[in-house]
C-alpha cells in the first residue's frame, strides 16, 4: 500500500519528504480528507471518504455513465468502501481501516469532525453529493477500528459541499452549519439533546440564505464587532437581530466575481486583525476563468484584495499555518488534476511577515484535493496530508523537513 519516500527541496526555505500512503484506496472519487487522533497515541490519523467511482464512456458521441448501466451499481458497491481511515503508527508506518462498510452512501466534499454526542470521542459528519439529500454523522466506537454507527441528521437539502460545527449564533453551544449547492441554501442546525434522533427536528433548522451556490465555510468574528459572522465563499453573513424578535442575517459580498471558493481566515499581515483568504477551488472547470488565490484585508469599511496567484487549475486545497517556524502564517495551495490537468502543482506561499509572500513549489505532478496541514510525526513542524479526487486514486503525505 505504501511506497518509498522521496525527499526534495522547494527552494531556499523549505524541504519536504513525500510518502504515498496508499496507491489504491478502495474509494472512488475521493472527496473528503480529515485529520484527528483517533487512537489516543498522540499522532493524527487520516480519514478519507468518497462519492463512488463515476467512469464514463463515449459511444457515438453520447456520454454514458458506466455506473448507471444495468447491474453495474452492484458491481461498484462490492468493490468500494465509502469511508476509510489510516492509523498513524509513527515512523511512517500507516495501516488502513474501514470506518464503515455500508454501501451507496455517495459522500461529498462537505465533512467535518466534532464530538456530536458528548462522549469525549471525535465523530464524523458528512453529507451526500450528486443529487443526494442526506447528511449523516458517524459515532466513533471505543475502538475506532470497529464499525462506526451511522445516524441521519437531515434529508432536507441536496448536495452538501461544506459542513462545519461551530457556535454560529453565539448562544454558547455549537451548531452544525452547512452549504447545500443543489438547494442553493446556507443553513444551520441546533444539535438536539439526543443527537441519535433521526432525522434531527425541522424546528432545529435555521435558513440563513437561499438562492446562492457557494463553497467554503468559516465561523468567527471576522470584522471585530464582537459577534460571530458566517463566512460562506466570498460572502460574509452578519447577524443583525438583537436576539429578541427573530433571527436575521445580512449578506455582504466581499469578493465580487470570485467563484467556487475555498475559505480560510487568519492574520496574514501581522496587524492583529483577521484577513479573509480565498482560492477558487473549482475554477476553471466549473467556473468562468482560471483559479485565483488571494487575501482580503478589512479596514473597518472596505475590503482590499491582495492577489497571491492566478492562472491556476482548480486550487481546491487551501490551508494556513506556520511552515517555517518563524511565527508568520504561510499559505499552502494545491491544484487538482480532474482529467484535464497533467501537471498539478502543490504550492507554498512563505510569509515575509508583512503579508507579502515568496512562492515555492512543494510538488509537481501529484494531484491534491482538500489537503490539510498537521504535524503528523511530532517534530513540531506542520506537514501536508492530501489525496486525489479522480480519476486516479492515491493518498499522500509530505513531511516538512524545514
Amino acid at each position: 500500500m505504501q511506497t518509498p519516500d522521496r525527499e526534495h527541496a522547494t527552494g531556499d526555505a523549505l524541504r519536504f519528504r513525500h510518502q504515498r500512503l496508499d496507491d489504491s484506496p478502495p474509494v472512488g472519487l475521493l472527496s473528503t480528507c480529515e485529520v484527528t487522533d483517533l487512537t489516543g497515541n498522540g499522532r493524527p490519523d487520516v480519514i478519507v471518504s468518497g462519492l463512488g467511482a463515476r467512469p464514463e464512456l463515449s459511444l457515438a458521441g453520447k456520454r454514458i455513465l458506466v455506473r448507471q448501466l444495468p447491474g453495474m451499481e452492484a458491481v461498484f458497491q462490492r468493490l468500494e468502501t465509502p469511508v476509510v481511515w489510516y492509523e498513524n503508527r509513527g515512523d511512517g508506518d500507516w495501516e488502513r481501516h474501514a470506518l464503515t462498510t455500508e454501501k451507496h452512501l455517495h459522500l461529498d466534499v462537505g465533512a467535518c469532525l466534532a464530538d456530536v454526542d458528548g462522549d469525549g470521542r471525535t465523530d464524523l459528519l458528512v453529507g451526500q453529493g450528486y443529487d443526494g439529500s442526506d447528511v449523516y454523522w458517524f459515532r466513533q466506537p471505543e475502538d475506532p477500528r470497529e464499525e462506526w454507527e451511522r445516524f441521519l441528521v437531515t434529508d432536507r437539502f441536496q448536495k452538501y459541499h461544506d459542513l462545519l460545527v461551530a457556535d454560529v449564533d453565539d448562544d454558547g453551544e455549537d451548531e452544525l452549519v452547512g452549504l447545500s449547492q443543489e438547494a442553493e441554501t446556507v443553513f444551520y442546525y441546533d444539535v438536539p439533546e439526543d443527537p441519535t434522533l433521526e432525522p434531527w427536528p425541522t424546528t432545529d433548522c435555521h435558513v440563513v440564505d437561499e438562492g446562492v451556490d457557494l463553497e467554503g465555510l468559516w465561523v468567527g468574528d471576522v470584522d471585530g464587532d464582537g459577534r460571530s459572522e458566517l463566512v460562506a465563499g466570498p460572502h460574509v453573513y452578519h447577524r443583525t437581530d438583537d436576539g429578541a424578535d427573530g433571527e436575521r442575517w445580512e449578506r455582504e459580498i466581499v469578493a465580487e466575481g470570485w467563484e467556487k471558493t475555498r475559505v480560510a481566515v487568519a492574520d496574514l499581515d501581522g496587524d492583529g486583525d483577521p484577513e479573509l483568504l480565498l482560492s477558487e477551488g473549482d475554477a476553471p472547470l466549473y467556473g468562468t476563468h482560471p483559479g485565483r488565490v488571494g487575501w482580503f484585508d478589512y479596514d473597518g469599511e472596505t475590503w482590499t484584495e491582495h492577489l497571491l496567484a492566478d492562472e491556476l487549475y482548480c486550487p481546491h486545497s487551501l490551508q494556513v499555518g506556520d511552515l517555517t517556524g518563524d511565527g508568520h502564517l504561510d499559505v499552502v495551495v494545491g491544484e487538482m488534476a480532474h482529467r484535464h490537468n497533467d501537471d498539478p502543482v502543490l504550492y507554498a506561499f512563505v510569509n515575509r511577515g508583512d503579508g507579502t509572500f515568496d512562492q515555492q513549489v512543494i510538488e509537481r505532478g501529484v494531484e491534491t484535493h482538500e489537503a490539510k496541514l498537521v504535524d503528523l510525526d511530532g517534530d513540531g513542524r506542520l506537514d501536508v496530508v492530501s489525496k486525489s479526487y479522480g480519476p486516479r486514486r492515491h493518498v499522500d503525505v509530505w513531511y516538512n523537513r524545514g
Side-chain angles (χ1 to χ4, degrees):
M1 181 173 67
Q2 300 170 26
T3 60
D5 299 350
R6 184 177 73 256
E7 186 167 322
H8 55 277
T10 66
D12 295 334
L14 294 171
R15 184 175 297 274
F16 285 84
R17 177 171 60 85
H18 176 236
Q19 180 186 13
R20 170 93 13 116
L21 297 193
D22 196 345
D23 57 7
S24 186
V27 186
L29 284 186
L30 285 72
S31 53
T32 71
C33 178
E34 302 294 330
V35 288
T36 187
D37 180 8
L38 295 175
T39 66
N41 66 3
R43 293 185 289 265
D45 308 297
V46 179
I47 303 173
V48 172
S49 65
L51 284 156
R54 297 169 62 87
E56 300 178 7
L57 294 176
S58 180
L59 185 63
K62 294 183 178 180
R63 175 172 164 266
I64 299 174
L65 293 176
V66 176
R67 196 174 189 122
Q68 295 180 356
L69 296 175
M72 293 306 297
E73 176 66 28
V75 172
F76 278 101
Q77 288 184 19
R78 285 196 298 270
L79 297 173
E80 294 177 338
T81 302
V83 190
V84 298
W85 67 278
Y86 297 87
E87 181 178 352
N88 185 353
R89 298 184 180 186
D91 297 324
D93 183 17
W94 298 81
E95 181 179 359
R96 188 179 71 202
H97 305 278
L99 188 146
T100 179
T101 57
E102 289 194 67
K103 306 299 183 180
H104 57 75
L105 295 181
H106 304 304
L107 303 174
D108 207 351
V109 173
C112 63
L113 300 170
D115 181 3
V116 177
D117 56 2
D119 64 358
R121 294 188 291 271
T122 300
D123 307 305
L124 173 68
L125 301 97
V126 61
Q128 290 185 313
Y130 291 117
D131 301 316
S133 60
D134 294 349
V135 174
Y136 307 114
W137 73 275
F138 292 86
R139 180 159 61 186
Q140 183 187 160
E142 290 188 17
D143 183 351
R145 302 169 189 87
E146 297 177 353
E147 183 97 1
W148 293 36
E149 189 175 6
R150 176 176 63 87
F151 299 95
L152 176 66
V153 172
T154 183
D155 58 2
R156 177 171 175 175
F157 306 109
Q158 299 84 41
K159 195 179 188 300
Y160 305 89
H161 194 281
D162 293 273
L163 298 174
L164 175 66
V165 172
D167 184 6
V168 69
D169 58 6
D170 296 326
D171 67 351
E173 297 182 354
D174 284 343
E175 291 80 38
L176 173 61
V177 188
L179 301 180
S180 168
Q181 287 183 306
E182 289 186 359
E184 297 186 335
T185 304
V186 181
F187 67 93
Y188 72 89
Y189 270 84
D190 299 313
V191 180
E193 184 175 349
D194 178 8
T196 66
L197 185 67
E198 298 184 283
W200 290 1
T202 56
T203 52
D204 288 349
C205 181
H206 306 259
V207 173
V208 175
D209 199 6
E210 296 178 287
V212 287
D213 178 3
L214 301 172
E215 298 182 13
L217 266 180
W218 186 87
V219 169
D221 184 4
V222 74
D223 60 5
D225 67 352
R227 306 182 80 180
S228 291
E229 282 77 47
L230 193 165
V231 179
H235 302 172
V236 176
Y237 290 90
H238 305 266
R239 212 171 70 253
T240 60
D241 61 273
D242 60 9
D245 60 349
E247 184 178 293
R248 296 190 301 275
W249 294 84
E250 181 179 279
R251 180 177 64 180
E252 176 188 13
I253 300 177
V254 172
E256 192 76 51
W258 284 65
E259 53 193 15
K260 306 297 184 181
T261 55
R262 311 311 292 141
V263 168
V265 175
D267 180 9
L268 296 175
D269 58 7
D271 65 355
D273 297 322
E275 285 81 46
L276 176 60
L277 181 66
L278 301 175
S279 68
E280 294 179 300
D282 282 319
L285 188 63
Y286 297 119
T288 60
H289 53 261
R292 295 171 290 180
V293 180
W295 60 279
F296 298 79
D297 194 13
Y298 184 64
D299 64 5
E301 295 183 359
T302 60
W303 294 86
T304 301
E305 176 184 317
H306 303 266
L307 190 66
L308 282 181
D310 58 8
E311 300 297 321
L312 301 183
Y313 186 89
C314 295
H316 210 289
S317 291
L318 175 65
Q319 292 283 285
V320 178
D322 183 2
L323 294 173
T324 65
D326 64 359
H328 307 308
L329 294 177
D330 310 303
V331 179
V332 170
V333 175
E335 294 181 306
M336 297 172 65
H338 214 318
R339 299 188 299 262
H340 303 293
N341 183 16
D342 294 329
D343 188 30
V345 182
L346 178 62
Y347 295 99
F349 295 88
V350 180
N351 195 339
R352 297 172 183 162
D354 58 358
T356 60
F357 295 82
D358 295 316
Q359 179 179 304
Q360 300 185 32
V361 173
I362 297 175
E363 182 71 273
R364 283 189 178 274
V366 180
E367 177 185 18
T368 58
H369 181 258
E370 288 296 283
K372 298 294 186 292
L373 278 181
V374 61
D375 182 4
L376 291 169
D377 53 9
D379 66 355
R381 293 187 290 260
L382 290 176
D383 310 304
V384 182
V385 60
S386 187
K387 45 73 184 183
S388 62
Y389 178 74
R392 293 180 295 274
R393 295 174 294 153
H394 48 82
V395 182
D396 301 87
V397 166
W398 288 267
Y399 297 100
N400 184 351
R401 291 298 173 247

